[in-house]
Amino acid sequence: MPKKVVFLSNGHGEDINASAIARALAQLDPEVQMGAMPTVGAGYAYRRLGIEIIGPTKTEIPSGGFSYAHIRWLIADIADGVLGRLWQQAVAVKQYSRDADLVLAMGDEVPIGMAALTRRPFFSFLCSTSAHYEQRLQVSWPRSQLLKSKHCRRIYTRDRFTAECMQAQGFSQTAFVGNPFMDALVTGNRQFPQPLLALLPGSRQPEAMANLHILLELALCLARLGQPVGGASPLKHRPVCWLALTANFLTGDPAPLTSIPAPWQVLTDRLVHPEVTVYFATDAFADILEQSTVVVGMAGTAIEQAVGLGKAVVQIPGLGPQFTYAFAEAQSRLLGSSVITIGTEPATAVTITEAARTINQICYDSTYLEKCRSAGQGRVGGRGAAAQIARDILATLDDCRQLPAGE
């Protein structure tokens, strides 16, 4: 029988991480059979690789996977049937994993709990946990018990500091090897003008479209800052705005950009306003991030990728459910000085103007830009984590195959 690995994840960022490992695993050993259970969203990152989705999914849920952020989102998810769907997913994972050699849980208690229920050997990647948030790490009781299971063979963390804290608390199987989402950034041959401003509205709908409207207002404000005011000279080189859209930004709706109000016009590769043009692409995400001078983000994993590439990031809080001020502030603590958050409430005309001015300043602050370039890898890590974890999986598989179910 072929070797069999199961991937469990509970969010868009988690899917990206897990699918990067799956891609690396397939490259190292094409004979490995793989299945995946994304508990939030449809799992497009897996589907694009041709990996079997083993249980029921739903393209969008009310909270976008952030039901913990507010009681109203939790209530909305429950009304949407999330509890029944989680039960069906758990049953599907249990059945599919009966003859699995290894399970990889990417995320929090939900995928870790499902992995433990299989009673098969599992790896855990705590991609949503970091000691940087509070400068210490308190592992919750449920998670602690799950990770102390004899079936948990290895724990990976998203930064070195967290790995050190986990090891100090007795989780000796913990390691930091980097973040697989950096390996998901596959660049092409697209070239972009400089200075380049990358706009990241996120990927979850309908929130991403609401975020996009804010970013378009920012682009317009940035263009107006370049006009002479009180005798001042306009900037010689304003950033060229590019929307770096993930591949699934447009999935499920053939033309969501048509909701952008006049006087904006939607053309094939750009959004045109009488005062500014914003270009967009769904096939050049990594190229845009790689070549950007400043990144303006209303996203999670994409901002972490930008910081990993050494970019300066400006965040503007939105209405959520994901990208609220609480999320943005926590992400600032996670990623350090490379990230600047503007405002403490959902974006207003005042905070958008402040963000535009901040971007102008950053574009010409070579000292700060250099600081971001050197700080990124220290917080996030460079490329290569996906291949390392894939090698760890293969090194463990032969041993795991000797174990009967439940041992």
Side-chain angles (χ1 to χ4, degrees), residues 184-193 196-200 242-250 269 279-292 295 302 305 309 383:
L185 290 172
V186 181
T187 55
N189 298 314
R190 297 284 296 273
Q191 295 297 316
F192 297 92
L196 176 67
L197 180 64
L199 306 177
L200 310 180
W242 271 84
L243 279 166
L245 302 179
T246 57
N248 60 323
F249 178 88
L250 301 178
D269 63 347
Y279 300 87
F280 65 86
T282 57
D283 60 350
F285 182 79
D287 293 289
I288 294 172
L289 280 193
E290 190 85 64
Q291 298 173 45
S292 63
V295 172
Q305 290 172 313
L309 292 174
R383 290 180 169 95

Side-chain angles (χ1 to χ4, degrees), residues 8 14 21 23 61 71 86 104 114 119 145 165 174 177 208 230 250 253 262 276 280 290 292 315 353 397 401 406:
L8 311 178
E14 288 82 354
I21 297 169
R23 183 189 297 108
I61 63 177
I71 186 63
L86 279 173
L104 189 145
M114 286 187 181
R119 300 183 63 79
Q145 298 308 301
C165 291
T174 303
V177 298
L250 301 178
D253 187 343
V276 66
F280 65 86
E290 190 85 64
S292 63
Q315 299 184 136
T353 300
L397 284 182
R401 287 172 73 85

Side-chain angles (χ1 to χ4, degrees), residues 12 46-47 67 79 112 126 201 224 263 292 295 331 360 386 393-394:
H12 174 68
Y46 297 116
R47 295 178 191 273
S67 56
I112 299 173
L126 306 178
R224 288 170 177 169
S292 63
V295 172
Q331 190 152 256
N360 273 340
I393 289 173
L394 289 176

